[in-house]
Amino acid sequence: MVDVATDLPAATTGAWLHGVVRDADPATLATLATIAGIDGGPVRAVSAAGLVAVVSTAPLDEYGEEPLRRNLEDLVWLERVARAHHAVVEALARRGPVVPARLATVHTDDGRVAGTLAARRAELVAALDRLTGRGEWGVKGFLVPGAATVTAGTAAAGGVGTAYLRRRRAQLTAREERQQLASAAADAVHSALCELAVVGRRHAPQDRRLSGVPAPMVLNGAYLVDVAALPRFKELVGSLGRRHPGLELELTGPWPAYSFVADRPEPALTVGRPG
């Protein structure tokens, strides 16, 4: 996504927006120089309207509108940039609440970034208030493989072919039942976690190639949790895992609150982003 300025045709670099934080004193902002941005150089702060946007210098021959369209189709390039972008957002989140920008949000200059802060100040301040003292935690639930339930006595009347069909039908029925039970267990786990979290959200289950786990994922939840409630939340995840032995629960985090920021800063022109 690129905000194109027609009045600056000679511009060669833009500003890749990582996220927005509260205004801070100069000493605190100086620590940003220790964080590497997407270009390998330090990120910098753009202050306006009592807020700070953290940006990287973005050469427009790589991050301008047309190059960005092409590069977003390059999975190797996309992974490298996404990792660099996340590393900055994660570093900011360790310092306090941050509103993460959408991946590939690029402005042609710092003035445009400042304009975004001023125009969306109320939304951004509300988002930062909502995230203060809270963190995002992920809970993934994987189906525990069940043992085969085929009996040796199924090869009765009807011959080998009939016995095979009976075994196959029994296998499919058992698999469907396990999946239904796992789905119900995932619903119960999510509901219980939402009662303790400030808010919860279910994402689509990840493909096995992305999760790195051979078992099917049936729960991909994100939960915004108060810091004070975190010990109880972790304890609840453990107890729910024992209560639902058909699911293997995995707790991850804390993460920057990607899942709970509706008003994320983005420019006027959208050129596309990964789905």
Side-chain angles (χ1 to χ4, degrees):
M1 291 175 281
V2 179
D3 174 15
V4 178
T6 57
D7 56 337
L8 291 173
T12 59
T13 60
W16 174 292
L17 180 59
H18 293 284
V20 175
V21 297
R22 299 187 192 280
D23 203 355
D25 60 81
T28 301
L29 295 180
T31 64
L32 293 177
T34 64
I35 305 174
I38 58 167
D39 61 338
V43 298
R44 65 180 188 279
V46 178
S47 299
L51 297 169
V52 172
V54 178
V55 303
S56 287
T57 298
L60 294 180
D61 59 356
E62 182 176 2
Y63 300 101
E65 181 179 359
E66 290 304 321
L68 193 57
R69 287 183 189 275
R70 296 191 301 270
N71 287 331
L72 288 174
E73 302 298 324
D74 182 341
L75 295 183
V76 174
W77 182 95
L78 183 59
E79 181 178 7
R80 174 182 65 81
V81 171
R83 287 182 181 275
H85 175 73
H86 172 70
V88 175
V89 175
E90 191 172 43
L92 295 173
R94 288 195 293 267
R95 291 164 166 80
V98 55
V99 178
R102 297 181 186 276
L103 186 66
T105 298
V106 183
H107 294 272
T108 50
D109 57 46
D110 290 1
R112 301 262 174 164
V113 177
T116 295
L117 295 181
R120 303 191 61 189
R121 183 182 186 281
E123 300 167 1
L124 294 169
V125 168
L128 290 168
D129 288 344
R130 188 167 62 250
L131 300 178
T132 298
R134 295 165 175 168
E136 177 174 330
W137 292 81
V139 177
K140 297 179 180 179
F142 299 93
L143 178 63
V144 175
T149 58
V150 180
T151 63
T154 53
V160 175
T162 302
Y164 169 79
L165 293 176
R166 288 173 177 167
R167 289 197 303 270
R168 184 59 177 161
R169 186 180 302 114
Q171 289 171 343
L172 293 175
T173 299
R175 182 183 305 169
E176 291 174 357
E177 289 177 350
R178 285 197 306 271
Q179 290 175 339
Q180 291 173 357
L181 290 173
S183 178
D187 292 344
V189 168
H190 178 68
S191 296
L193 293 175
C194 284
E195 290 182 6
L196 184 55
V198 177
V199 63
R201 177 169 297 170
R202 289 182 75 165
H203 299 296
Q206 291 178 323
D207 183 90
R208 301 180 195 190
R209 293 169 294 182
L210 293 176
S211 70
V213 178
M217 181 185 294
V218 293
L219 173 64
N220 186 13
Y223 307 90
L224 189 64
V225 182
D226 282 325
V227 172
L230 183 56
R232 286 183 293 146
F233 185 82
K234 291 181 176 180
E235 182 180 336
L236 179 59
V237 173
S239 67
L240 289 170
R242 294 187 294 272
R243 194 182 309 167
H244 300 281
L247 289 184
E248 181 179 347
L249 299 182
E250 177 184 289
L251 175 67
T252 65
W255 301 100
Y258 293 108
S259 300
F260 303 104
V261 178
D263 301 317
R264 297 163 69 180
E266 57 182 318
L269 178 61
T270 300
V271 302
R273 60 185 179 89

